Amino acid sequence: MRISHEYKFIWISKPKTGSTSYRKLLDKYSDIASSDRSSEWRHHHIKLRDLENKFNEKGWCFEDYFKIVPVRNPWDLLLSLYVYAKTDEKGIRFWQNSADYNPDKLMSFEEWIFKESNWRWFEENHALKSYACNGEGELVADFMFSPEEESSRFVRLMNDRFGIDVSVSDIPRLNTTSKSDSLLREVSRCYRDEKIDRRLNEVFKMEIEMFGYSNKFI
């Protein structure tokens, strides 16, 4: 998350959408930078609905700020999230700092994607509707775009609306993940499953309808 009182913008860092790179880019134009400590209100991945409550507490006018939220093809997003999370066979993610975490015995993508508790996590913490809507479920984001495919749209926004002189080449490439051929074959097989396809279309309905996303692994 980044907040600029001068330029009146809010950048929401939706996970696995290039958020680390864009936070770095926006640092020098922001008055408030987020923290990696989840206990703080200004943590990296705060949602607009929670930020609105914080604005109200501080007496800031939430409606005056232009709200930017990045999106990503959900089929690709879940693959990237799986690689990043490094979930072990007990379901513990690497960042949970548990003494029981075993990085030598990771959960397969197939087990991970079929695990029902993960789908509740996807819906609450990775679907667009969780980040771009208010507490009543109404869309309040002013600008949504795919950092992977539409970085030029973001650059035009910065130039035209805020008078911030940035270019596509100024956007760093940080915190990227790589995928093996064997993993991609496993992912392709799992994504052909009717149950998984149905759940993806349900949980990520907003971004699929708005951006026309489809399964890129079939």
Side-chain angles (χ1 to χ4, degrees):
M1 176 272 292
R2 293 291 184 270
I3 298 172
S4 171
H5 294 312
E6 178 182 357
Y7 295 101
K8 288 289 191 293
F9 70 69
I10 296 170
W11 165 272
I12 291 296
S13 294
K14 187 175 177 294
K16 306 313 297 175
T17 58
S19 59
T20 304
S21 300
Y22 281 79
R23 289 198 305 265
K24 181 69 173 177
L25 175 71
L26 294 172
D27 271 344
K28 63 182 179 180
Y29 308 108
S30 303
D31 298 294
I32 297 177
S34 54
S35 164
D36 60 2
R37 292 188 290 274
S38 59
S39 59
E40 293 194 19
W41 73 264
R42 57 185 185 90
H43 61 84
H44 284 330
H45 303 304
I46 188 171
K47 303 172 176 69
L48 276 177
R49 66 192 184 206
D50 300 320
L51 198 55
E52 181 176 15
N53 293 333
K54 184 55 63 174
F55 266 57
N56 291 336
E57 286 179 20
K58 291 182 173 294
W60 302 339
C61 185
F62 186 70
E63 289 74 19
D64 287 349
Y65 288 71
F66 192 84
K67 305 159 194 70
I68 306 166
V69 180
V71 297
R72 186 175 183 179
N73 181 307
W75 286 267
D76 195 40
L77 182 147
L78 290 187
L79 170 56
S80 182
L81 180 62
Y82 166 77
V83 174
Y84 179 73
K86 297 179 178 63
T87 308
D88 74 5
E89 60 184 6
K90 304 184 203 72
I92 304 171
R93 302 166 195 122
F94 84 88
W95 61 72
Q96 293 178 292
N97 297 319
S98 169
D100 295 326
Y101 177 70
N102 187 349
D104 297 320
K105 291 187 177 181
L106 299 182
M107 189 178 290
S108 70
F109 182 82
E110 182 172 9
E111 185 179 359
W112 184 82
I113 200 71
F114 276 92
K115 192 174 180 64
E116 186 58 33
S117 60
N118 278 342
W119 282 97
R120 294 192 291 274
W121 180 51
F122 301 157
E123 184 164 21
E124 179 59 26
N125 293 289
H126 299 282
L128 179 61
K129 62 185 177 183
S130 294
Y131 286 85
C133 296
N134 61 17
E136 286 70 51
E138 301 167 330
L139 181 66
V140 292
D142 297 299
F143 183 85
M144 293 166 286
F145 79 109
S146 168
E148 288 194 326
E149 301 169 356
E150 302 178 305
S151 55
S152 59
R153 280 189 63 216
F154 172 78
V155 166
R156 287 197 300 273
L157 175 74
M158 291 293 103
N159 281 266
D160 296 344
R161 183 178 181 91
F162 303 111
I164 295 175
D165 185 17
V166 295
S167 65
V168 172
S169 62
D170 292 326
I171 303 170
R173 292 280 293 174
L174 304 173
N175 205 28
T176 59
T177 54
S178 58
K179 297 93 176 176
S180 67
D181 290 341
S182 59
L183 172 59
L184 291 174
R185 287 193 293 271
E186 182 184 8
V187 169
S188 179
R189 184 179 69 252
C190 293
Y191 278 166
R192 290 191 183 96
D193 186 277
E194 290 184 5
K195 177 182 177 181
I196 298 304
D197 186 67
R198 182 173 63 253
R199 292 303 300 276
L200 267 155
N201 277 279
E202 291 170 351
V203 171
F204 299 97
K205 181 180 179 181
M206 176 178 283
E207 51 263 63
I208 288 172
E209 290 185 349
M210 292 181 70
F211 290 85
Y213 288 131
S214 61
N215 185 351
K216 58 188 287 187
F217 294 91
I218 56 175

